[in-house]
Amino acid sequence: MNKYLWRGLLAIGLGMAGIYWGIQLMEQEEGWYKLALTLGVILFGVGFITLMYRLFRSIDRSTLLEKRKTRQKEK
């Protein structure tokens, strides 16, 4: 597992925890729930984007390796 996968999963986990905490605060009618929900959504979004970046990097890497292999076979 590479660093982008770990960072993405960590950010998604923290985002989910922030959203859960914000919902709990909202039920208790605390004023901090808006900040907690906002941070949770932002962290979740960053985690999702990081995971998508990891997916695109792995696809790009496999394509590059395949092209190199075909070039070496042609020579």
Side-chain angles (χ1 to χ4, degrees):
M1 290 193 194
N2 65 9
K3 64 182 177 182
Y4 296 108
L5 178 63
W6 284 111
R7 288 178 186 171
L9 291 175
L10 178 66
I12 285 176
L14 288 174
M16 289 172 53
I19 291 170
Y20 179 76
W21 183 50
I23 291 171
Q24 294 298 320
L25 288 174
M26 187 169 42
E27 288 175 356
Q28 296 172 5
E29 298 180 3
E30 293 286 330
W32 291 96
Y33 77 92
K34 294 176 187 176
L35 179 63
L37 285 173
T38 303
L39 289 176
V41 169
I42 289 171
L43 281 171
F44 189 85
V46 167
F48 182 77
I49 290 172
T50 305
L51 286 179
M52 293 304 294
Y53 178 70
R54 182 221 182 242
L55 176 69
F56 290 136
R57 273 181 51 109
S58 67
I59 291 171
D60 188 42
R61 178 168 167 69
S62 64
T63 304
L64 285 174
L65 291 175
E66 190 175 309
K67 283 183 182 179
R68 288 180 189 165
K69 193 182 287 186
T70 57
R71 282 185 190 163
Q72 292 219 351
K73 286 182 181 178
E74 290 175 359
K75 289 182 180 182

